Amino acid sequence: MSEQSAKPYLVRALYEWCVDQGYTPYLAVRVNGKTRVPAAFVKNGEIVLNVGPLATHQLTMDNDWVLFNARFNGVSQEVAVPFSAVIGIFAKETGYGMGFQPMLDAAGTEATDASPEPAEDAGPTAGAPDHAPGGGVSSPGKGKVSHLKVVK
């Protein structure tokens, strides 16, 4: 039996810490064939998502996927990110967070996960705060990503 990755647990813990401190948690994602994010916001194969409570609806972080609904330019969309594609989580206001190496398979290529089942009731999404243009998508501030620490 293989050991469960600590990444989902660390991401959930830092997410909870950000929210408890009144900070805005942002998730850095390397987009691959399994990620479902608005392509218009992907830059250089990556996207940074505001996953704060005011920017997301029905946020779920299990051990394999980050799933939520958010508005992008006023249009509600379902977002699905496998934890293998998560490369960091940080607080927008301070840059404090943690970075991760993308998970690799035995061939040395980025691992992919099976697609999640679509949500039965996607429902309306909560509006994003004014400081998050695009309703849940933004890019990190000046030099803030440099505070991330790589965890294997």
Side-chain angles (χ1 to χ4, degrees):
M1 183 161 121
S2 66
E3 186 174 287
Q4 176 75 31
S5 171
K7 186 192 292 188
Y9 299 91
L10 295 169
V11 169
R12 286 192 298 264
L14 283 169
Y15 171 87
E16 187 175 322
W17 176 84
C18 284
V19 172
D20 286 351
Q21 297 302 311
Y23 297 147
T24 310
Y26 275 50
L27 203 62
V29 175
R30 175 149 316 135
V31 177
N32 62 33
K34 299 295 182 180
T35 54
R36 287 195 316 236
V37 297
F41 297 95
V42 175
K43 293 184 181 168
N44 298 323
E46 297 180 353
I47 189 168
V48 178
L49 300 163
N50 175 348
V51 291
L54 296 176
T56 62
H57 181 68
Q58 296 180 331
L59 175 67
T60 303
M61 287 191 232
D62 61 21
N63 288 340
D64 299 310
W65 290 89
V66 178
L67 304 167
F68 62 92
N69 294 309
R71 292 194 181 274
F72 297 85
N73 286 336
V75 178
S76 179
Q77 296 190 37
E78 187 175 287
V79 175
V81 175
F83 265 106
S84 61
V86 173
I87 55 174
I89 182 168
F90 61 95
K92 174 190 173 196
E93 295 78 3
T94 64
Y96 182 82
M98 186 174 289
F100 304 96
Q101 293 283 345
M103 290 184 190
L104 302 178
D105 63 16
T109 59
E110 284 189 40
T112 58
D113 297 318
S115 296
E117 295 297 318
E120 289 181 24
D121 178 18
T125 62
D130 292 338
H131 62 272
V137 175
S138 186
S139 57
K142 300 175 190 134
K144 290 186 179 179
V145 175
S146 64
H147 296 280
L148 299 177
K149 178 181 177 185
V150 175
V151 175
K152 292 185 180 180

